[in-house]
Amino acid sequence: MTDPYYKEMKHQKREYEWVSNCVYANYKIPTKCICGGAITVETDERGRNYYVCKDFKNDGLHIRHDCLAALEEELDCLRSQYAEEVSLRRELQFELAQMREESKELKQLIMVGR
């Protein structure tokens, strides 16, 4: 017998993943189709590559996304993440420098007070 809370939690997690797949279906490199199927790379007659659901039907419920566009979107996301990381690191380095200065001042005050 399973815990009803656990069962409900698992159901909500699956539903969230499905909604997430729907929202980001044609953005970045897809990992799973909306239908839950696997994604493969196929080439059309012009030589362009596409990320395509293995059960693709042109009914709007399956993914067919241009590889080049997907890679560009993925790269844009990585660039923005990198910029955020650099910004955070600079802030932390600035705070660390301030803390070092404050600790030097405290050491001097302690030495003077002796």
Side-chain angles (χ1 to χ4, degrees):
M1 183 163 197
T2 61
D3 182 19
Y5 174 74
Y6 180 76
K7 185 178 178 182
E8 178 67 22
M9 186 176 66
K10 287 299 225 177
H11 174 72
Q12 287 178 352
K13 183 179 178 189
R14 281 191 302 272
E15 195 170 284
Y16 173 78
E17 287 175 356
W18 184 78
V19 169
S20 176
N21 285 342
C22 290
V23 170
Y24 297 110
N26 291 310
Y27 184 66
K28 299 192 332 183
I29 298 173
T31 56
K32 199 181 226 184
C33 184
I34 299 168
C35 70
I39 300 293
T40 60
V41 177
E42 293 182 2
T43 305
D44 67 0
E45 60 279 350
R46 296 178 299 167
R48 294 188 70 172
N49 293 328
Y50 292 91
Y51 290 109
V52 181
C53 174
K54 68 175 182 157
D55 302 321
F56 181 75
K57 298 174 195 114
N58 198 8
D59 58 2
L61 299 175
H62 300 278
I63 294 176
R64 183 173 192 261
H65 192 47
D66 182 30
C67 285
L68 183 59
L71 290 172
E72 288 174 350
E73 293 162 355
E74 190 81 28
L75 188 59
D76 288 341
C77 284
L78 290 173
R79 282 183 183 141
S80 66
Q81 288 176 357
Y82 176 75
E84 289 173 15
E85 293 286 332
V86 167
S87 173
L88 179 62
R89 183 178 174 132
R90 286 182 181 156
E91 288 176 23
L92 291 173
Q93 285 177 338
F94 178 73
E95 288 179 17
L96 185 62
Q98 283 182 327
M99 290 173 75
R100 282 186 181 139
E101 288 297 319
E102 289 173 1
S103 66
K104 284 181 185 177
E105 290 174 9
L106 286 172
K107 282 181 184 177
Q108 288 177 353
L109 287 173
I110 291 172
M111 297 305 267
V112 170
R114 285 186 172 181

